[in-house]
Amino acid sequence: MDDTSALNQTSAAKPALSDAARRFGVLPMPDLAWTPEVERETAHLYEKVKAVVPPVEWPFHAPYVKAINDLKKQRNAVILAHNYQTPEIYNCVADVVGDSLQLAKLAAESTADVIVQGGVHFMAETSKLLNPHKTVLIPDSRAGCSLAESITGADVRLLRQKYPGVPVVAYVNTSAEVKAEVDICCTSSNALKVVESLGVDRVIFLPDQYLAKNVQAQTKVQIISWAGACEVHERFTAEEMLRYRADDPSITIIAHPECPPEVVEVSDFAGSTAAMIDFVKTKKPKRVLLVTECSMADNIATETLGVTEFVRPCNLCPHMKRITLPKILESLVYMREEVVIDAALAERARRSVQRMIDLG
Ligand code: 13P
Ligand code: SF4
């Protein structure tokens, strides 16, 4: 289908046709009115988020939710949403939710023609690496990551010159260009396992200096780190955590391993976003201090009402927050922004991601 009339309706902001739009066609922009029909058809979804989305906001979200869910069928598309996406995306339009590793694995299993990444750019690149023949869209390509931006492929080549023969492990929070230069990838849920799987005394571990230190605390393998940091997690401090603990000694503190080691040390548990969710659901603590990105507490709270109370010293990830319902809708209407990776570079980058997945 090639219907460019939708573009003509919005002459004020006429987007250029992407290659994906030429292949799939542009669809008409759906009507976004809040009607009794929209209210009825989205009522079951509002039930899932009513604890964290006020009733006054739902009439703004619901027309987008309905339109996106209809368009997904038309496009044979799936939406992969990271645990840091806002509750209306996470609960109402996502087909798959999870941490970086889960999203990477599920991307590989998808049978859809189109993958829309609810997350940041490196995640969309990972989906494209594992699905070279599918169309991968990111609703806003400016959704970056301070870790991914802290290192380039040229930096990795220099590290290899400085430490000849030392294998390089890259956190998935890196560009495809960096993944193409390294031996294997890891995520926060398998970093220790990946480091120890190499059977060597020393590894280069990049780019997160804090994740590197947190892994170093658990292994005899000597870790050479890079000076990158997550701009969200590096802001938490142990003093802040201890103040919460002094106010309520029974509070359970759980932190992401991108936090500085002093924060992890005063926590009761540290793990990937999926591991943190699992911890809350299985251990059912009464009060939890969730030391990570803000939306995660909202997303867990919808499922643990009346069981766990969340105290939120949270910070927002400005990159994750670039992904919104209106941008997801535009993504599906105009088939933008398509993630394209040079084939030769993708081949090399895929190897390091696949090597991690093959570890199981
Ligand atoms: P997870 O793999 O734990 O979801 O972490 C990804 C991320 O970007 C955390 O800041
Ligand atoms: Fe990157 Fe930190 Fe945002 Fe995760 S939370 S995407 S590591 S900047």
Side-chain angles (χ1 to χ4, degrees):
M1 192 201 311
D2 185 12
D3 178 3
T4 51
S5 58
L7 287 178
N8 298 332
Q9 291 164 18
T10 53
S11 54
K14 218 188 266 180
L17 271 190
S18 65
D19 278 353
R22 287 196 190 90
R23 294 199 304 281
F24 287 84
V26 169
L27 293 171
M29 180 58 78
D31 181 12
L32 294 167
W34 169 241
T35 62
E37 185 204 352
V38 171
E39 184 171 11
R40 207 173 39 250
E41 287 192 25
T42 58
H44 64 295
L45 296 170
Y46 186 58
E47 272 306 300
K48 290 167 82 177
V49 293
K50 68 179 185 196
V52 289
V53 175
V56 59
E57 283 181 19
W58 188 242
F60 295 96
H61 293 315
Y64 284 97
V65 166
K66 176 172 161 30
I68 289 168
N69 286 331
D70 290 347
L71 276 185
K72 278 194 312 192
K73 291 187 200 126
Q74 272 179 275
R75 294 291 199 196
N76 188 24
V78 282
I79 298 181
L80 308 183
H82 185 261
N83 293 323
Y84 292 163
Q85 292 291 284
T86 50
E88 66 280 3
I89 294 176
Y90 182 93
N91 290 285
C92 303
V93 299
D95 298 283
V96 169
V97 295
D99 67 9
S100 307
L101 181 62
Q102 290 170 325
L103 294 184
K105 284 183 171 166
L106 291 161
E109 288 163 19
S110 168
T111 55
D113 296 322
V114 179
I115 293 173
V116 180
Q117 195 80 36
V120 294
H121 194 261
F122 76 80
M123 294 177 178
E125 277 193 337
T126 309
S127 293
K128 181 66 186 176
L129 291 175
L130 296 172
N131 292 277
H133 304 300
K134 290 193 178 126
T135 298
V136 176
L137 304 174
I138 179 149
D140 188 333
S141 63
R142 296 169 303 166
C145 168
S146 64
L147 282 168
E149 277 139 36
S150 72
I151 189 159
T152 64
D155 293 325
V156 181
R157 290 194 291 277
L158 283 174
L159 280 169
R160 284 208 190 270
Q161 276 174 26
K162 191 166 171 199
Y163 301 102
V166 179
V168 184
V169 178
Y171 194 25
V172 280
N173 297 40
T174 45
S175 63
E177 186 214 5
V178 165
K179 289 184 175 81
E181 297 290 340
V182 306
D183 296 291
I184 186 166
C185 285
C186 75
T187 71
S188 53
S189 61
N190 61 18
L192 176 65
K193 182 175 174 180
V194 168
V195 164
E196 298 202 325
S197 76
L198 298 172
V200 293
D201 297 337
R202 272 202 315 174
V203 300
I204 298 168
F205 186 99
L206 53 87
D208 187 352
Q209 58 183 303
Y210 297 127
L211 181 60
K213 284 188 183 136
N214 288 323
V215 173
Q216 183 67 86
Q218 303 171 65
T219 183
K220 288 195 166 52
V221 179
Q222 187 200 339
I223 291 184
I224 301 161
S225 60
W226 184 254
C230 162
E231 68 189 77
V232 175
H233 292 94
E234 72 174 342
R235 282 157 48 202
F236 295 113
T237 65
E239 293 72 45
E240 193 186 353
M241 304 305 127
L242 291 172
R243 275 200 300 274
Y244 282 106
R245 178 91 78 203
D247 281 351
D248 175 4
S250 72
I251 202 162
T252 303
I253 304 181
I254 60 176
H256 195 276
E258 288 169 11
C259 292
E262 315 81 71
V263 171
V264 170
E265 269 161 35
V266 299
S267 302
D268 298 293
F269 176 76
S272 75
T273 55
M276 292 164 96
I277 293 175
D278 229 48
F279 181 94
V280 174
K281 285 189 183 163
T282 54
K283 304 272 186 220
K284 302 184 182 5
K286 262 202 152 83
R287 277 188 103 215
V288 163
L289 187 72
L290 202 61
V291 191
T292 192
E293 210 273 349
C294 282
S295 291
M296 227 184 68
D298 286 343
N299 292 335
I300 317 179
T302 59
E303 295 176 52
T304 56
L305 278 182
V307 180
T308 299
E309 180 202 342
F310 290 96
V311 181
R312 309 170 189 204
C314 59
N315 295 321
L316 273 177
C317 173
H319 311 290
M320 288 279 178
K321 272 27 223 199
R322 282 193 184 276
I323 309 300
T324 60
L325 288 176
K327 286 186 198 161
I328 293 175
L329 179 64
E330 289 197 351
S331 188
L332 285 164
V333 166
Y334 301 117
M335 295 302 289
R336 67 177 193 216
E337 301 179 40
E338 186 175 13
V339 177
V340 180
I341 308 174
D342 169 77
L345 183 134
E347 185 55 44
R348 290 164 54 221
R350 186 177 309 116
R351 249 181 267 146
S352 49
V353 178
Q354 194 58 51
R355 194 172 167 196
M356 164 186 81
I357 290 177
D358 291 345
L359 269 184

